[in-house]
Amino acid sequence: MALFLFKRLLQAAVVMFVISIISFSIQDNLGDPLREMLGQSVSEAERHEMREQMGLNDPFLVQYGRFISKALQGDLGTSYFFKEPALDVILNKLPATLELVLGASIIIILLSVPLGVYSAIKPHSVLTKMIMGFSIIGISIPVFLTAILLIYLFAIELGMLPSYGRGELVHIWGSWSTGFLTKDGLLHLLLPCVSLASIMLPLFIRLIRAEMVEALHTEYVKFAWAKGLGKYRIWFMHALKNTMLPVVTVGGVQIGTMVAYTILTESVFQWPGMGFMFLEAVNRVDTPLIVAYLIVVGAIFVITNTIVDLVYGLIDPTVNLVGGKK
């Protein structure tokens, strides 16, 4: 386990190094940040002096070396717009985004497991055909279109749910506030979470169904039937347990993907999270905030993948964490 952790940390450091180079190198292609900061009324001489003070005229390697040196100390730069450390701005927005991802994950887990298992157990039923049909439609429709349709139906036509914002929040700790503990907050969460879950839910239903069908045809399941075990025990204690291995692996990767997808969902619902902040940063050419966002999202991918590898080994003891299957 210790050797595995060491290797994973080494791999994570290499991945983060690559992400930092890519993130930092694109900042020159995003536009001139001084145009947004100073406007058009500033003379070219003053603009040049400002660039010198900010180090924007230095060679790329000099700028990157200065950036990475500060990054190792937890300083990812200062936002041009907020006039605060970029990492602090992101951490203030992080609870809203994680709340959205958590709500979507709960919806995915509660629906994908029973629907996927039922589709595998009853492959020829009418309900299974309806589930598979809806899953194809769900995969085909973009997240932002689903969000717009939900707003039109439930907010505009029926007037049942709010169409934007986080609603009433409860302060928990530090900058962390949540809408999970208030009725108004839960109502505001419903449409964004359903929208975010819509792209992942069909994927998980089809994945669980496919793995469950394969598990139901394995020898140990046939042996369990021969022993006369109950059908629910065979389905949920034997088949479903082994079905969850690839589901956990894919699920861990998809958590990072959902964080990235929140850009679209937060934009449509004006959700004050990291994704909405990122789009505003792009419009303002707030390059320190953009670079910091990309690095934080990259770190979320790396951390979730490492945790998935550990959980994978705990679920299946036959997995050798260092060298694969025993």
Side-chain angles (χ1 to χ4, degrees):
M1 180 63 79
L3 179 60
F4 168 75
L5 280 175
F6 175 75
K7 285 187 174 181
R8 291 295 295 159
L9 289 175
L10 189 61
Q11 292 172 359
V14 173
V15 172
M16 291 307 303
F17 175 68
V18 173
I19 291 174
S20 69
I21 289 182
I22 295 174
S23 303
F24 195 80
S25 62
I26 65 173
Q27 64 175 348
D28 289 336
N29 300 316
L30 296 174
D32 185 5
L34 294 181
R35 186 185 61 189
E36 301 296 325
M37 296 171 61
L38 304 177
Q40 300 294 331
S41 59
V42 180
S43 67
E44 190 60 33
E46 291 175 315
R47 194 181 297 273
H48 181 75
E49 183 180 352
M50 191 73 177
R51 291 185 66 86
E52 284 290 338
Q53 292 176 358
M54 295 172 65
L56 298 177
N57 291 331
D58 294 336
F60 172 78
L61 289 179
V62 174
Q63 292 187 50
Y64 178 72
R66 189 163 53 228
F67 168 76
I68 202 68
S69 174
K70 292 181 178 177
L72 291 174
Q73 303 174 45
D75 181 5
L76 296 179
T78 301
S79 166
Y80 295 151
F81 178 78
F82 292 98
K83 310 297 182 186
E84 296 178 14
L87 188 58
D88 289 350
V89 175
I90 292 174
L91 292 180
N92 287 333
K93 303 289 184 182
L94 183 61
T97 296
L98 292 183
E99 193 170 81
L100 210 56
V101 173
L102 177 61
S105 300
I106 292 173
I107 293 174
I108 292 171
I109 293 170
L110 291 180
L111 293 181
S112 66
V113 174
L115 293 180
V117 170
Y118 178 84
S119 302
I121 295 172
K122 305 287 185 183
H124 303 297
S125 71
V126 175
L127 182 57
T128 295
K129 292 177 181 176
M130 292 175 63
I131 293 170
M132 290 298 103
F134 278 118
S135 69
I136 293 175
I137 295 173
I139 291 176
S140 306
I141 299 178
V143 172
F144 70 91
L145 186 56
T146 303
I148 293 173
L149 290 174
L150 290 173
I151 290 175
Y152 177 76
L153 180 61
F154 291 100
I156 298 176
E157 289 294 325
L158 300 177
M160 296 170 57
L161 295 169
S163 60
Y164 65 90
R166 291 186 70 188
E168 185 182 355
L169 304 178
V170 173
H171 182 258
I172 297 179
W173 175 74
S175 62
W176 197 284
S177 299
T178 180
F180 276 109
L181 301 178
T182 67
K183 180 182 177 182
D184 189 52
L186 288 173
L187 291 176
H188 279 79
L189 269 166
L190 199 54
L191 290 184
C193 289
V194 170
S195 173
L196 184 59
S198 66
I199 195 68
M200 299 297 172
L201 180 60
L203 171 68
F204 277 86
I205 290 175
R206 300 181 76 84
L207 176 63
I208 292 173
R209 178 182 181 275
E211 294 295 331
M212 188 76 177
V213 168
E214 185 177 340
L216 290 174
H217 289 85
T218 55
E219 293 299 322
Y220 66 87
V221 170
K222 293 178 181 176
F223 182 68
W225 284 114
K227 286 173 62 179
L229 298 179
K231 59 182 181 182
Y232 294 108
R233 184 175 179 183
I234 293 174
W235 289 340
F236 295 103
M237 296 299 293
H238 293 271
L240 182 60
K241 181 181 178 181
N242 290 286
T243 299
M244 297 311 291
L245 279 172
V247 175
V248 169
T249 305
V250 175
V253 176
Q254 294 304 322
I255 287 176
T257 306
M258 276 202 292
V259 172
Y261 266 111
T262 57
I263 292 177
L264 297 174
T265 307
E266 291 181 2
S267 300
V268 176
F269 290 98
Q270 297 182 35
W271 191 263
M274 288 170 52
F276 193 50
M277 176 215 69
F278 176 72
L279 283 184
E280 289 183 322
V282 171
N283 290 330
R284 296 166 181 151
V285 199
D286 194 344
T287 50
L289 197 53
I290 295 171
V291 174
Y293 171 84
L294 295 175
I295 290 177
V296 170
V297 172
I300 291 174
F301 269 96
V302 171
I303 292 171
T304 52
N305 284 341
T306 303
I307 294 175
V308 165
D309 286 343
L310 291 172
V311 173
Y312 193 90
L314 293 175
I315 293 177
D316 185 1
T318 63
V319 173
N320 183 339
L321 291 176
V322 177
K325 283 270 187 183
K326 287 179 179 178

